[in-house]
């Protein structure tokens, strides 16, 4: 693979899931029982041979820092390169960046020091598997200025999204921002590839021209002025665009075919916690669920995602729920379609229920 540096945005699109991001960054949202969203972006890069990754932070990044540490769990704790935390400022000022373009502007000093020929920019708000070496090869073969990665699925309305139109040879013929049409679209997944030198020139021009939006000021007019190409991501892809989408994405991981695709031939790396194995009492009944280390189950659990250290009391029935780390569910409770954030306590005899399109959400460290 050609020498490549990675940049991961840890805080983009947080307004899509305010319930989960008011106490953490987008990348540190827990998912799948033991992972964080950022694990998928980082693992894709590491598995593609990228050993220098800049992580752009913003607000509420304490849990992200605790999770990433030195980067050793992703083999990114290195004397040269490795995982590098980048400040959340928009260039020379001490003002937090307001959008993607300002965030990239703030990373120019990091990019100028990099010796790698190419740069991959990726968000950390989705679950998918992608070999960036194939995207780089495609980028080189097309002599592209920028290669945008897309996935074909029903357009999901969110705060800000982009769909692409392409010619038969893969060249981008149109960029639509927040289109109102429905149906299956070529949805840009906020992953792009460019030569490092070209991206630096692009940023410098954007600064001089006073541009404020990467999509509207660079990609959209770039259809006619740049060699923009699109690369199709095959297979499973799910971005966290709302709380119901977070809910459904977790439950996709209960499907064997999805687990095999995401976790099969290439590992998804995450922080390792040395916890005791899960404990199942004689009264426990568990069906079709992901149960993490340190859990103690005395009741009934069906179609659930339980994170580390969760306790389910005797006589309780928990179905179609996501229960995050160190939650305690008392005795004789009945929970259905509930998302309970970390360190919450649900007392005995509680009845809580939501539905698939609007799960009942419990804030972090709540007492119910």
């Amino acid at each position: 693979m050609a020498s490549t540096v990675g940049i991961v945005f840890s805080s983009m699109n947080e307004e899509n899931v305010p319930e989960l991001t008011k106490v953490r960054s987008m990348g540190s949202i827990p998912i799948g029982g033991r992972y964080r969203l950022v694990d998928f972006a980082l693992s894709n890069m590491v598995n593609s041979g990228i050993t220098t990754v800049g992580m752009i932070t913003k607000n509420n990044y304490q849990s992200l820092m605790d999770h990433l540490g030195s980067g050793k769990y992703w083999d990114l704790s290195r004397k040269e390169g490795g995982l590098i935390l980048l400040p959340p400022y928009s260039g020379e000022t001490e003002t937090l960046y307001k959008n993607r373009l300002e965030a990239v502007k703030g990373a120019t000093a990091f990019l100028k020091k990099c010796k790698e020929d190419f740069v991959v920019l990726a968000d950390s708000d989705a679950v998918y598997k992608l070999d960036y070496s194939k995207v780089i090869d495609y980028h080189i073969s097309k002599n592209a200025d920028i290669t945008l990665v897309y996935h074909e699925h029903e357009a999901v309305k969110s705060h800000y999204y982009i769909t692409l139109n392409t010619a038969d040879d893969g060249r981008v013929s149109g960029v639509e921002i927040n289109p109102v049409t429905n149906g299956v679209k070529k949805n840009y997944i906020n992953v792009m590839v460019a030569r490092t030198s070209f991206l630096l020139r692009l940023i410098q021009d954007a600064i001089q021209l006073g541009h404020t939006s990467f999509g509207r000021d660079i990609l959209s007019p770039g259809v006619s002025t740049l060699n923009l190409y699109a690369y199709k991501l095959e297979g499973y892809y799910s971005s966290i665009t709302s709380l119901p989408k977070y809910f459904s994405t977790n439950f996709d991981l209960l499907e064997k075919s999805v687990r095999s695709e995401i976790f099969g031939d290439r590992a998804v790396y995450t922080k390792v916690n040395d916890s005791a194995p899960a404990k199942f009492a004689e009264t426990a009944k568990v069906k079709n669920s992901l149960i993490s280390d340190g859990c103690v189950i005395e009741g009934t659990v069906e179609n659930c995602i339980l994170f580390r250290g969760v306790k389910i009391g005797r006589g309780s029935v928990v179905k179609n729920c996501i229960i995050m780390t160190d939650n305690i569910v008392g005795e004789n409770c009945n929970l259905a379609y509930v998302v309970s954030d970390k360190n919450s306590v649900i007392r005995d005899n509680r009845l809580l229920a939501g539905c698939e399109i609007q799960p009942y959400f419990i804030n972090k460290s709540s007492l119910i």
Side-chain angles (χ1 to χ4, degrees):
M1 180 178 174
S3 60
T4 306
V5 62
I7 288 183
V8 175
F9 300 91
S10 68
S11 300
M12 287 295 170
N13 307 315
E14 290 182 341
E15 58 279 353
N16 290 334
V17 277
E19 304 92 340
L20 295 168
T21 57
K22 61 186 174 184
V23 294
R24 57 172 68 86
S25 64
M26 191 75 175
S28 58
I29 291 177
I31 192 166
R34 63 188 296 256
Y35 299 95
R36 304 287 184 122
L37 278 175
V38 73
D39 294 337
F40 298 93
L42 275 180
S43 297
N44 283 330
M45 290 191 175
V46 171
N47 289 330
S48 302
I50 299 174
T51 58
T52 301
V53 179
M55 179 72 61
I56 299 180
T57 60
K58 198 177 184 182
N59 299 314
N60 297 323
Y61 52 81
Q62 183 60 55
S63 62
L64 181 72
M65 301 300 98
D66 292 342
H67 180 71
L68 295 176
S70 65
K72 68 175 182 178
Y73 297 111
W74 298 265
D75 193 26
L76 291 174
S77 179
R78 298 166 177 259
K79 291 183 178 179
E80 294 186 6
L83 181 64
I84 300 168
L85 302 178
L86 302 177
Y89 303 115
S90 57
E92 302 297 329
T93 69
E94 294 184 0
T95 304
L96 292 177
Y97 64 82
K98 299 181 181 66
N99 51 51
R100 187 180 307 276
L101 182 55
E102 289 189 357
V104 178
K105 288 178 183 177
T108 53
F110 165 73
L111 289 172
K112 287 178 181 178
K113 293 180 181 178
C114 293
K115 299 178 181 178
E116 287 82 1
D117 296 324
F118 296 92
V119 57
V120 174
L121 292 87
D123 283 2
S124 54
D125 64 346
V127 176
Y128 63 99
K129 183 171 65 175
L130 177 60
D131 186 349
Y132 290 119
S133 63
K134 294 181 180 179
V135 186
I136 296 292
D137 290 342
Y138 177 86
H139 180 82
I140 295 172
S141 69
K142 296 295 185 179
N143 193 29
D145 291 324
I146 298 176
T147 296
L148 307 174
V149 181
Y150 72 91
H151 185 266
E152 290 187 347
H153 58 262
E154 187 83 20
V156 179
K157 304 298 186 293
S158 61
H159 177 75
Y160 184 86
Y161 65 102
I162 294 175
T163 63
L164 306 176
N165 298 318
T166 63
D168 293 339
D169 63 349
R171 190 182 180 103
V172 176
S173 58
V175 172
E176 297 182 69
I177 299 174
N178 294 344
V180 295
T181 56
N182 296 317
V184 175
K185 300 292 183 181
K186 296 179 179 179
N187 297 275
Y188 173 49
I189 67 169
N190 293 318
V191 174
M192 62 173 283
V193 170
R195 285 193 176 272
T196 308
S197 56
F198 176 82
L199 183 62
L200 285 170
R201 290 198 303 271
L202 200 66
I203 296 170
Q204 185 61 40
D205 291 343
I207 293 173
Q208 293 176 353
L209 295 172
H211 289 163
T212 58
S213 171
F214 208 99
R216 291 186 174 90
D217 295 331
I218 295 179
L219 296 184
S220 186
V223 170
S224 57
T225 60
L226 301 174
N227 286 331
L228 294 185
Y229 278 83
Y231 179 92
K232 183 179 180 180
L233 169 66
E234 302 283 358
Y236 180 82
Y237 172 83
S238 182
S239 59
I240 309 304
T241 55
S242 64
L243 184 62
K245 198 64 167 64
Y246 170 77
F247 189 82
S248 65
T249 301
N250 271 276
F251 283 95
D252 285 346
L253 298 177
L254 291 177
E255 300 291 335
K256 183 178 179 181
S257 59
V258 175
R259 290 200 308 274
S260 298
E261 179 180 341
I262 298 298
F263 303 105
D265 56 341
R266 290 189 169 198
V268 177
Y269 304 102
T270 189
K271 180 181 178 180
V272 176
N273 290 328
D274 295 325
S275 304
K279 178 180 178 181
F280 301 88
E282 293 181 356
T283 55
K285 296 179 181 179
V286 179
K287 180 181 179 181
N288 191 39
S289 298
L290 294 178
I291 309 296
S292 302
D293 295 345
C295 290
V296 178
I297 313 298
E298 296 179 345
T300 298
V301 177
E302 185 174 332
N303 300 326
C304 289
I305 313 288
L306 302 189
F307 287 73
R308 294 183 177 100
V310 171
K311 295 179 174 58
I312 306 296
R314 189 182 300 267
S316 290
V317 178
V318 182
K319 294 184 177 181
N320 304 302
C321 293
I322 301 170
I323 311 296
M324 296 189 199
T325 304
D326 293 332
N327 267 244
I328 298 175
V329 178
E331 297 183 355
N332 301 312
C333 293
N334 196 316
L335 275 61
Y337 296 98
V338 171
V339 177
S340 183
D341 211 331
K342 296 174 61 176
N343 302 316
S344 294
V345 176
I346 301 172
R347 289 179 170 176
D348 299 347
N349 305 306
R350 296 297 188 260
L351 172 61
L352 303 174
C355 63
E356 188 173 0
I357 61 173
Q358 191 58 58
Y360 185 92
F361 181 75
I362 299 175
N363 288 308
K364 182 181 179 180
S365 303
S366 294
L367 176 61
I368 305 296

